[in-house]
């Protein structure tokens, strides 16, 4: 999709469709709406405030051949209350409009800027919204494969917006570029999550990481099982034992170029993402219903790859490493079993209570390895617990950690990009729940407080390094179609990670 900016009058823009947002309770005071009213023979005065167009989010009115405007179609989209209008509204409105218009066969779409929000960031949000909205996880459909696609997005702003004095055109262009980098990264992760485990094995995930690393200039190291063994990664190897597919630990590294001293040059941020390419539960096997979805149990790893790729393009001045422990969790005659004791790389011993609590085991070794590589801050993300989906549904990501200021920074980074994160507590009593009689800790404390006890388990491996854990089990897969987003993998948390890292580097 090509994205460009125009400062023509909206009625002179030639596109298959023109999109105009309408605020809740809005009349015809605005000069652009007045102009539109005249050129369309008075449809706005009839529509605005009617049941069809109250201006609420989700309201849409579609007009074919609307009159004296160059574009062949007009789409009015409700934007909600003017005072609540945000970059997130721009993302949703653009996504909804793009999806709707693609269904009508439009190939190009122009959207009129109607707010005073920062121009560059608005352009970024619109670009992201269109890219995220148009994504379809239908890789393997052979019939009725939609030939329809929007290949041009035109951002229309009034001439006074793009005047020379502040190089606003430059801001627009860089906003579009940023939006494209981020939108495409998120869609890469969504594609990987949708991919069946028969094709997206741990080795294939490593291949895809390699392709992205060489294309975008990241260093990569792919550890095979022999190297994991040398390093003593008994937890990761324990999980991998039941599978015929060999495990991989994929390590990506980004270093800013230039030799001048950096504000935060001592910092090495590690992103660690759970990469279980299929979670059958292992010997503690899962029920059949819904098991097909466990191909997305590598969404944390996909998010890690996506964020690293975007970082390589955005080039913030901070060191970032991405670690993706990748394995299947399968039952077999060689599989690890309940009652087994595993020794993690850090030396801690773990009693296996439930082989379906495998995510924390592979993360234990990856977090330990991140520290070994010199990480000064660690963010892990994982589809870790069903309990997270029970507690927070598909609305909020659970956030926990050992450093409140770090947690707050990431929550704020999420808020800025319209991703919601809700903190869960980590009192000492929860730590007591993972004590084992035979080993240092056990991998499951049962269902109650499941997200928290899983997090307590991970904290044992982060030790005193500032660390934040994101449980994306409820949010990485959306089972309902939204006007602005296909159902399926969401790519959640990637935009938060990118925003956190670029904010952090700017300090
Ligand atoms: N991958 C699952 C968690 C999950 C469940 C993600 C549903 C998305 C949707 C994880 O490996 C798991 O099985 N967790 C167990 C832990 C339990 C055995 C302590 C769970 O949540 O039931
Ligand atoms: Mn599991
Ligand atoms: Zn899992």
């Amino acid at each position: 999709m090509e994205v460009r900016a125009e400062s023509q009058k909206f009625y002179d823009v030639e596109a298959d469709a023109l999109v105009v947002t309408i605020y809740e309770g809005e009349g015809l005071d605005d000069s652009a709406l007045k102009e539109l009213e005249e050129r369309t023979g008075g449809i706005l005065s009839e529509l605005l405030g009617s049941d069809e167009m109250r201006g609420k989010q989700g309201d849409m009115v579609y007009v074919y051949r609307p009159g004296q405007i160059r574009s062949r179609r007009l789409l009015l989209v409700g934007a909600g209350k003017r005072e609540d209008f945000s970059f997130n509204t721009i993302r949703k409105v653009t996504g909804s409009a793009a999806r709707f218009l693609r269904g009508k066969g439009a190939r190009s779409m122009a959207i009129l800027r109607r707010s005073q929000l920062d121009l560059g960031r608005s352009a970024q949000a619109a670009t992201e919204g269109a890219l995220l909205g148009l994504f379809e996880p239908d890789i393997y459909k052979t019939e009725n494969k939609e030939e329809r696609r929007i290949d041009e997005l035109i951002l229309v702003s009034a001439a006074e917006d793009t005047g020379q004095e502040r190089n606003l055109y430059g801001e627009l262009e860089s906003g579009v570029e940023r939006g494209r980098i981020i939108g495409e990264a998120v869609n890469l992760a969504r594609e990987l999550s949708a991919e069946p485990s028969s094709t997206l094995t741990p080795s294939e995930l490593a291949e895809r990481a390699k392709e992205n690393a060489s294309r975008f200039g990241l260093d990569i190291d792919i550890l095979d099982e022999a190297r994991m063994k040398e390093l003593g990664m008994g937890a990761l190897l324990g999980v991998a034992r039941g599978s015929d597919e060999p495990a991989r630990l994929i390590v990506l590294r980004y270093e800013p170029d230039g030799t001048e001293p950096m504000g935060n040059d001592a910092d090495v941020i590690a992103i660690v993402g759970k990469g279980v390419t299929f979670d059958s539960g292992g010997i503690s096997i899962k029920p059949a219903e819904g098991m097909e979805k466990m191909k997305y149990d590598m969404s944390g790893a996909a998010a890690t790859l996506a964020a690293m790729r975007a970082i390589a393009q955005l080039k913030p001045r901070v060191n970032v490493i991405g670690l993706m422990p990748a394995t299947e969790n399968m039952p077999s005659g060689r599989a690890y079993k309940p009652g087994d004791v595993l020794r993690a790389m850090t030396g801690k011993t773990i009693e296996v209570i439930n082989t379906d609590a495998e995510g924390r085991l592979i993360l234990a070794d990856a977090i330990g390895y991140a520290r070994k590589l010199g990480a000064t801050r660690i963010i892990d993300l994982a589809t870790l617990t069903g309990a997270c989906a029970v507690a927070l549904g598909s609305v909020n990501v659970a956030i926990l950690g050992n450093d409140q200021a770090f947690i707050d920074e990431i929550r704020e980074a999420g808020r800025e990009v319209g991703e919601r994160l809700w903190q869960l507590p980590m009192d000492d009593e929860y730590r007591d729940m993972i004590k084992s009689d035979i080993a240092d800790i056990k991998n499951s404390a049962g269902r109650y407080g499941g997200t928290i006890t899983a997090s307590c388990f991970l904290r044992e491996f982060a030790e005193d390094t500032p660390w934040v854990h994101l449980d994306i089990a409820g949010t990485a897969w959306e089972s309902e179609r939204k006007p602005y987003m296909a159902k399926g993998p969401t790519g959640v948390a990637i935009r938060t990670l990118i925003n956190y890292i670029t904010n952090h580097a700017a300090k």
Side-chain angles (χ1 to χ4, degrees), residues 274 279 286 294 296-297 354 356-360 383-387 444 446 473:
K274 171 177 175 183
D279 183 10
K286 287 179 180 296
M294 280 300 114
Y296 89 95
D297 211 19
N354 189 317
D356 199 11
E358 85 296 344
R360 64 199 73 183
T383 46
L384 202 63
T385 64
S444 168

Side-chain angles (χ1 to χ4, degrees), residues 394 477-483 485-488:
S394 63
W477 193 276
E478 182 56 67
S479 46
E480 258 167 73
R481 185 161 62 101
K482 298 276 163 68
M485 189 106 128
K487 69 176 184 183

